[in-house]
Amino acid sequence: MAFVLSLLMALVLVSYGPGGSLGCYLSERLMLDARENLKLLDRMNRLSPHSCLQDRKDFGLPQEMVEGDQLQKDQAFPVLYEMLQQSFNLFYTEHSSAAWDTTLLEQLCTGLQQQLDHLDTCRGQVMGEEDSELGNMDPIVTVKKYFQGIYDYLQEKGYSDCAWEIVRVEMMRALTVSTTLQKRLTKMGGDLNSP
């Protein structure tokens, strides 16, 4: 998997060419990657969710924060980035690789990494010196607590197949919310450098 990610990084760097940054626009490519990641998560289904009803849990997805008008543009980008980074971290673990088809898992991790790479081209320009302050921003803390609850749940359930199935379904919800946030950012103005 490390080779695939190294190759991916090389391709991203080559695609920038001598002109430098591609700019901070939320491209259609980012939306296509998001949709593809949702399809991959759907294909990773190994169990019937009905067989795991006893393991259901409300993880407290901060959906209303992301979909409502609570986030300003300067907060929306870091929240989107944090949701994607935490999603990548969740699936890029030893416990996760034991639970899923390796090919689908690698494709999902690569897709999430592609989204993060695209957003990284803008991250410094959008967040700048405020980066350290944004780590303590309430919406970011909310996202981190949400994912910590998922990690705690998996550990409590002994990383069982049903626990991973519940988390897979939850991550489909979370990535759907992040896609909604991407669309919202695009409507706010696809150029993330503008106020």
Side-chain angles (χ1 to χ4, degrees):
M1 186 181 290
F3 172 75
V4 171
L5 290 177
S6 297
L7 180 62
L8 177 64
M9 287 301 293
L11 288 172
V12 169
L13 291 174
V14 168
S15 70
Y16 284 16
S21 172
L22 290 173
C24 289
Y25 293 91
L26 290 180
S27 70
E28 184 61 30
R29 179 76 232 159
L30 187 64
M31 294 303 291
L32 290 172
D33 288 343
R35 286 191 289 270
E36 184 60 29
N37 289 338
L38 284 169
K39 288 178 189 173
L40 284 166
L41 262 177
D42 188 48
R43 287 179 46 208
M44 289 169 68
N45 181 7
R46 293 185 345 175
L47 301 171
S48 165
H50 299 295
S51 65
C52 298
L53 290 176
Q54 73 281 1
D55 290 314
R56 282 186 311 177
K57 178 176 173 77
D58 179 5
F59 294 101
L61 177 67
Q63 189 167 346
E64 66 286 339
M65 173 186 75
V66 174
E67 291 180 346
D69 292 331
Q70 295 179 19
L71 287 180
Q72 302 301 317
K73 186 175 180 179
D74 63 337
Q75 295 175 315
F77 181 86
V79 166
L80 172 60
Y81 190 90
E82 188 66 30
M83 287 185 76
L84 291 172
Q85 182 66 61
Q86 292 289 337
S87 299
F88 176 83
N89 293 346
L90 178 67
F91 287 107
Y92 196 72
T93 64
E94 184 178 326
H95 292 293
S96 179
S97 61
W100 304 111
D101 171 277
T102 346
T103 303
L104 291 175
L105 182 62
E106 284 179 8
Q107 289 174 351
L108 176 64
C109 287
T110 299
L112 289 168
Q113 187 63 53
Q114 286 173 332
Q115 286 184 276
L116 288 165
D117 289 344
H118 180 82
L119 292 175
D120 265 338
T121 63
C122 302
R123 192 168 184 213
Q125 296 171 39
V126 173
M127 296 166 68
E129 301 84 39
E130 303 168 20
D131 194 15
S132 59
E133 295 171 23
L134 290 173
N136 297 324
M137 186 174 68
D138 283 343
I140 296 292
V141 171
T142 301
V143 170
K144 287 180 179 182
K145 284 181 181 177
Y146 165 71
F147 277 93
Q148 186 59 52
I150 292 172
Y151 284 110
D152 292 347
Y153 168 81
L154 285 166
Q155 187 173 18
E156 173 188 312
K157 295 289 186 177
Y159 302 94
S160 71
D161 288 345
C162 267
W164 275 111
E165 177 57 22
I166 296 299
V167 167
R168 183 192 68 80
V169 171
E170 181 67 17
M171 293 313 301
M172 287 189 70
R173 290 181 60 224
L175 290 179
T176 299
V177 167
S178 74
T179 301
T180 301
L181 183 56
Q182 288 176 43
K183 288 177 187 172
R184 195 168 146 233
L185 274 167
T186 301
K187 286 179 184 173
M188 288 178 183
D191 183 355
L192 294 176
N193 287 323
S194 65

